[in-house]
Amino acid sequence: MTPTARQQARHWQRAPGSLTQRLFAWGGEVRVQRLRQQVAPLLPGEAADLGLAPGTRCLVREVVLHVGDAPVVWARSVAPHAALSGPWKALVGLGTRPLAALLFDDPAVSRTPLRPQWHPRGSRWHQRADEAWRTVAGQPWPASVVAARSSVFWRRGMPLRVFEAFSPAMLASPTATPPTSPRPR
Ligand SMILES: C=C(O[C@@H]1C=C(C(=O)O)C=C[C@H]1O)C(=O)O
């Protein structure tokens, strides 16, 4: 990873507030492609961050965010299944609306500090990012490391862990224009 890419990764890993809003400001058009939303096993680190026993039934939502015509973020959010009948029931009908809609305008939602992380090729996280990219872009994850971040949103005592991985297209250079110009309206 070039020094510029590392610097850009740190920028996105630590950027407060809504990533969707930042992507919109960066590229003018953001689209959410939902890959899955179902009860599924957790990946390494998720149960601990949620304060759950491994094997607890959880809802898993995976999406890819597109800016213009290019996929730029793979995101994976997990919550205890029990939360779907309570504080996070709005997840059920979210569809392809950005998750941010449930998080940043609700005073009942708090967020733990952002945790930057790097997942090398061979890790479960890199494997999952690779699977998502093969599905969406028809190619493997285009880097040997997945630069990402995670944090936990809390609402009325129930957690929602959000993980976001940044594609190399986002890390290209400080002045990187979005990967493609938004489609003309
Ligand atoms: C949490 C946010 O919502 C974004 C949208 C997501 C989704 O729709 O599943 C998941 C993670 C984020 O990239 C945000 O914009 O910060």
Side-chain angles (χ1 to χ4, degrees):
M1 183 174 278
T2 66
T4 297
R6 267 196 299 275
Q7 183 183 10
Q8 286 305 294
R10 282 193 289 271
H11 163 75
W12 288 106
Q13 286 170 325
R14 292 165 173 79
S18 166
L19 180 61
T20 306
Q21 282 303 316
R22 287 180 178 273
L23 291 177
F24 183 81
W26 181 53
E29 179 186 5
V30 180
R31 177 172 66 89
V32 177
Q33 179 180 3
R34 198 176 82 170
L35 301 181
R36 65 193 304 213
Q37 183 158 319
Q38 64 193 87
V39 174
L42 296 181
L43 290 175
E46 289 180 325
D49 280 357
L50 290 168
L52 299 175
T56 303
R57 273 169 60 83
C58 285
L59 179 78
V60 174
R61 170 183 169 96
E62 292 188 8
V63 303
V64 167
L65 304 185
H66 297 251
V67 169
D69 296 330
V72 292
V73 169
W74 171 59
R76 174 180 160 103
S77 305
V78 293
H81 191 265
L84 302 184
S85 54
W88 296 114
K89 61 177 173 293
L91 265 175
V92 176
L94 185 61
T96 56
R97 285 183 298 134
L99 181 60
L102 308 185
L103 304 175
F104 294 98
D105 296 330
D106 182 344
V109 174
S110 62
R111 184 182 199 174
T112 65
L114 289 163
R115 282 187 35 224
Q117 50 208 264
W118 308 82
H119 298 283
R121 181 170 281 123
S123 65
R124 287 288 292 121
W125 285 98
H126 191 286
Q127 288 166 0
R128 294 308 303 269
D130 191 69
E131 289 164 13
W133 235 242
R134 289 176 189 277
T135 298
V136 169
Q139 63 170 345
W141 182 264
S144 61
V145 177
V146 172
R149 71 185 195 175
S150 65
S151 65
V152 178
F153 294 85
W154 289 88
R155 188 172 193 275
R156 305 200 196 294
M158 280 289 204
L160 169 67
R161 182 187 193 264
V162 177
F163 168 93
E164 295 150 319
F166 306 108
S167 72
M170 287 183 68
L171 312 181
S173 76
T175 57
T177 54
T180 60
S181 59
R183 286 188 289 272
R185 292 190 182 286

